[in-house]
């Protein structure tokens, strides 16, 4: 069984970036629905028994993949955000890599926001590191994660499904992403950069 992971902050703590109604629908309805759906598959598919969330993602397709990957993506998204504007900074190691690979932190922001805005339909925009620790900004469609097929490990993600911002921002995805950028938990991003493997989100597993 999987359970809805506890948010690392109060549901109201990201306001006015994300207000309580936006958070309630996204976390308690959308994220929870993916958990409930995956648990239904667990009830009927013995091959899923005992597997971690990441193992399920890497070995499944169709509805099982979609729900498992969306649990992973949302959990990772919540942990990448910070309640206080700009209160954390990238580690020295991460900042050097950002300057080397993008030119500056502002240039990375511009690239991340641009990639998120141009993602067609539902998906996710990511800052990732490849096996040589080179930083890349990528987007994925629907439930896709970057790390299948030996792809890069995620450091940070923003949800660009309309359900992620429509309550607070209506159609203004650009404004949502620009505001997202001032609420990043850089400690989380820096830890993911220092790690050599994809973040394990076992917290969602009971
Ligand atoms: Mn979402």
């Amino acid at each position: 069984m999987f359970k809805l992971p506890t948010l690392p902050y109060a549901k109201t703590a990201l306001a006015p970036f994300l207000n309580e109604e936006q958070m309630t629908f996204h976390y308690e309805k959308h994220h929870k629905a993916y958990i409930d759906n995956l648990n239904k598959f667990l009830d009927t598919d013995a091959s899923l028994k005992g597997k971690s969330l990441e193992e399920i993602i890497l070995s499944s397709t169709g509805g099982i993949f979609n729900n498992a990957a969306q649990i992973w993506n949302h959990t990772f998204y919540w942990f990448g955000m910070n309640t206080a504007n700009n209160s954390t900074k990238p580690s020295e190691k991460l900042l050097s890599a950002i300057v080397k690979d993008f030119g500056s932190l502002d240039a990375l922001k511009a690239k991340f926001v641009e990639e998120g805005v141009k993602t067609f339909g539902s998906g996710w925009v990511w800052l990732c590191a490849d096996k040589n620790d080179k930083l890349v900004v990528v987007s994925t469609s629907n439930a896709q994660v970057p790390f299948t097929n030996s792809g890069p490990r995620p450091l940070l993600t923003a949800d660009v499904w309309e359900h992620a911002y429509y309550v607070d921002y209506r159609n203004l995805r650009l404004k949502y992403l620009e505001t997202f950028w001032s609420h990043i938990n850089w400690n989380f991003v820096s830890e993911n950069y220092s790690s050599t493997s994809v973040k394990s989100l076992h917290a969602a597993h009971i």
Side-chain angles (χ1 to χ4, degrees):
M1 291 283 285
F2 288 86
K3 66 169 182 176
L4 190 62
T6 305
L7 288 175
Y9 32 70
K11 219 170 42 175
T12 50
L14 292 169
F17 160 47
L18 297 172
N19 289 302
E20 186 173 8
E21 186 185 5
Q22 176 71 69
M23 290 295 293
T24 300
F25 272 87
H26 200 182
Y27 172 64
E28 292 180 6
K29 305 290 182 188
H30 291 274
H31 193 173
K32 183 174 184 299
Y34 299 124
I35 305 258
D36 292 344
N37 289 339
L38 185 62
N39 283 335
K40 283 182 202 148
F41 284 114
L42 285 172
D43 283 342
T44 56
D45 188 335
S47 74
L48 300 175
K49 203 171 167 59
K51 282 186 177 167
S52 70
L53 188 57
E54 293 78 22
E55 285 167 341
I56 293 174
I57 290 168
L58 292 172
S59 64
S60 66
T61 57
I64 296 172
F65 172 86
N66 286 337
N67 285 288
Q70 283 293 77
I71 295 169
W72 199 95
N73 294 344
H74 282 90
T75 307
F76 198 77
Y77 170 64
W78 304 130
F79 278 91
M81 291 188 286
N82 195 330
T83 56
N85 274 5
N86 296 315
S87 67
T88 58
K89 300 261 180 283
S91 66
E92 277 184 33
K93 185 181 163 193
L94 176 58
L95 187 59
S96 318
I98 289 169
V99 170
K100 176 169 165 280
D101 294 328
F102 298 100
S104 67
L105 194 54
D106 282 347
L108 165 60
K109 173 189 174 181
K111 173 86 178 158
F112 186 95
V113 169
E114 181 196 4
E115 192 70 30
V117 166
K118 78 179 191 191
T119 302
F120 189 76
S122 297
W124 299 81
V125 56
W126 306 82
L127 173 65
C128 295
D130 73 10
K131 60 183 185 307
N132 299 314
D133 278 349
K134 181 180 163 52
L135 299 175
V136 285
V137 171
V138 298
S139 68
T140 57
S141 288
N142 299 320
Q144 293 294 322
V145 298
F147 57 84
T148 46
N149 301 311
S150 305
R153 73 182 185 278
L155 309 183
L156 172 73
T157 193
D159 190 341
V160 295
W161 285 57
E162 285 185 346
H163 72 225
Y165 58 87
Y166 225 82
V167 174
D168 280 337
Y169 295 86
R170 300 303 184 205
N171 60 325
L172 303 179
R173 190 190 283 185
L174 172 64
K175 188 178 174 198
Y176 156 68
L177 285 171
E178 287 187 331
T179 314
F180 169 86
W181 197 261
S182 59
H183 291 79
I184 293 172
N185 181 350
W186 284 107
N187 296 338
F188 177 77
V189 184
S190 301
E191 280 167 22
N192 292 328
Y193 186 62
S194 291
S195 171
T196 53
S197 56
V198 171
K199 176 80 174 171
S200 173
L201 296 175
H202 284 289
H205 197 197
I206 53 172

